[in-house]
Amino acid sequence: MFRFENSQYLVFLALPLILAAIHYIVIFRKRALLRSYGDVDLVRKLMIDVSRWRPELKFWLGNLALLSFIIALSRPQFGTKVDTRERKGIEAIIALDVSNSMLAEDVKPNRLEKAKMMISNMIDGMKDDKIGLVVYAGQAFTQLPITSDYVSAKMFLETISPSMMTVQGTDIAEAINLSCKSFTRQEGVSRAIFLITDGEDNEGGAVEAAKHAAGMGIRVYILGIGDANGAPIPIPGTTQYIIDNEGNTVVSRLNEEMCREIATAGSGSYIYVDNSSSAQRKLAEQVDKLAKTTMESQIYSEYDEQYQGFVLLGIILLILDAMLLERSSHLKTLSRLFVRNGKASVIILLLAFCTGALAQNDRDYIRRGNRSMRDTLYAKAQVDYQKAVEADNTNPQAHYNLGNSLLFQNKAEDAMKEYETASRFEKSKKRLGMIYHNMGVLLQSAKQFDKAVECYRNSLRNDPTSDETRYNYALCLFQLKKGGGQDNQDQEKDENGQDEKKEQDKQQQQEEKEKQQKENPEQQQNQQQMSKENAEQMLKAAMQDEKNTQERMQQMQQMPRQKHLQKQW
């Protein structure tokens, strides 16, 4: 595929035609002037050293050189790198059990953390695939809509915990049904649900849901995590374990029989997850099998610059033009070419310009870095992008890509600096939206929700069509309302640093309070009444806030229904 990147310069192609017209007008007038002197043949015989074809050849050499330079200025490009892929990529929904039973430590460090590590490694191995996250316990909701933004997927994965679920228990059927609705409508794509669970299904209907998914062409893979012998469920922040209504310690056991039954019904397979890495290898094998079932497609993945050849051709034509004399050649005249006319300097300068034109520029380094990024060679890509920045420090694409390569190497601070630099030079609103989105993801992962909200706002101002940005923006607002901003973190840090001073202030306040109780008993009674009124107001506000939170959660949950679970693990 061929194109001109700077096609506006093609209008200068009219210049060689205009010069050719002027050239032949001049030749016609010269011939007319020769006729005025006498017989044309006689006059030509008197002009012994004058060549008839050399001036014509010199003109066309110069004219063709000009043509070559105009084409080079228009930056011709060929889509020479054609990717013939045996897959378009798959769509995968990860349905992760986040019930309390996933905190059991029969798999180290615990079931949930082990599952998150497997998902993270799975994301690292993806290239052209799309991934979404569904979390479930007693109910299910979408944590991350299906996307190819692997950085955001890993960021959201880190925030998953059982505390985010208002209804405990395990409803595998609802998780499968919601996952089926989370895929795109694109045709010809392999789809799969990778459901991670410890096999304790409190609601039932999972087998039927898996059969329904298989009927839609969606494979259901079950990753059973845990031990059949079971393990107690620790209460976070304590040394105690969850107990049932009768006061007995709850022991959560992996139900492998049920896991295999669901996987068979969903036309998938069952993978047992333990402390070894065998489950990770089996998971990668299943993903590769899915990926190879789609059609081939040819895509021009990048365009290579071709202007260098035209610049070189123009230089050669100019050199030939400079070396060719209008008169018939004599060795003595030719020897004086570089001395008397000073054309040697011109040729040297032209050769130097040719060498510079063939040298790599910032775009060449960016293309090399892009190839390294596709091959997951992030350190090598970083080197190429840094060279592109050195070649042109004002190139926003170089800074943005450099930030991405640093981000994949977990160098968040350096990546943020590059994104900020890219935002200053970028003019395209679409790319600005992408830059601010990545900045927001970094701040969100650092729990600086107030700053992340501002970045997401800037992203939506430039690109209001991004669903992922809107989702992240809403999630950060929700975290801010819960008090998860950076200001609160700084406040907690200051409070922890002043524990001794607070203890002294509390003692002083207690002494003053006891003194006032002895002196003014009536005032004390009034204060107690006011405290009760304040408490009631705070209780009402908390209940209203909880009600609003529940309404928001119900909107996020695509299949809300009332549950009365006896098991809360």
Side-chain angles (χ1 to χ4, degrees), residues 89-95 122 126 129-133 146-147 183 189-194 287 290:
I90 68 169
E91 292 184 1
I93 298 293
I94 307 295
M122 177 182 176
M126 289 184 168
D129 310 311
K130 291 186 177 181
I131 189 170
L133 291 176
I146 193 162
T147 177
F183 293 100
V189 180
S190 294
R191 296 179 172 88
I193 299 172
F194 296 91
V287 173
L290 280 171

Side-chain angles (χ1 to χ4, degrees), residues 455-471:
C455 286
Y456 287 137
R457 284 175 181 168
N458 289 332
S459 178
L460 290 173
R461 290 190 188 105
N462 290 279
D463 183 16
T465 62
S466 176
D467 294 332
E468 296 172 9
T469 305
R470 282 198 294 268
Y471 182 82

Side-chain angles (χ1 to χ4, degrees), residues 218-235:
I218 302 171
R219 295 178 179 270
V220 181
Y221 296 86
I222 304 297
L223 282 75
I225 185 166
D227 193 337
N229 297 324
I233 305 171
I235 300 175

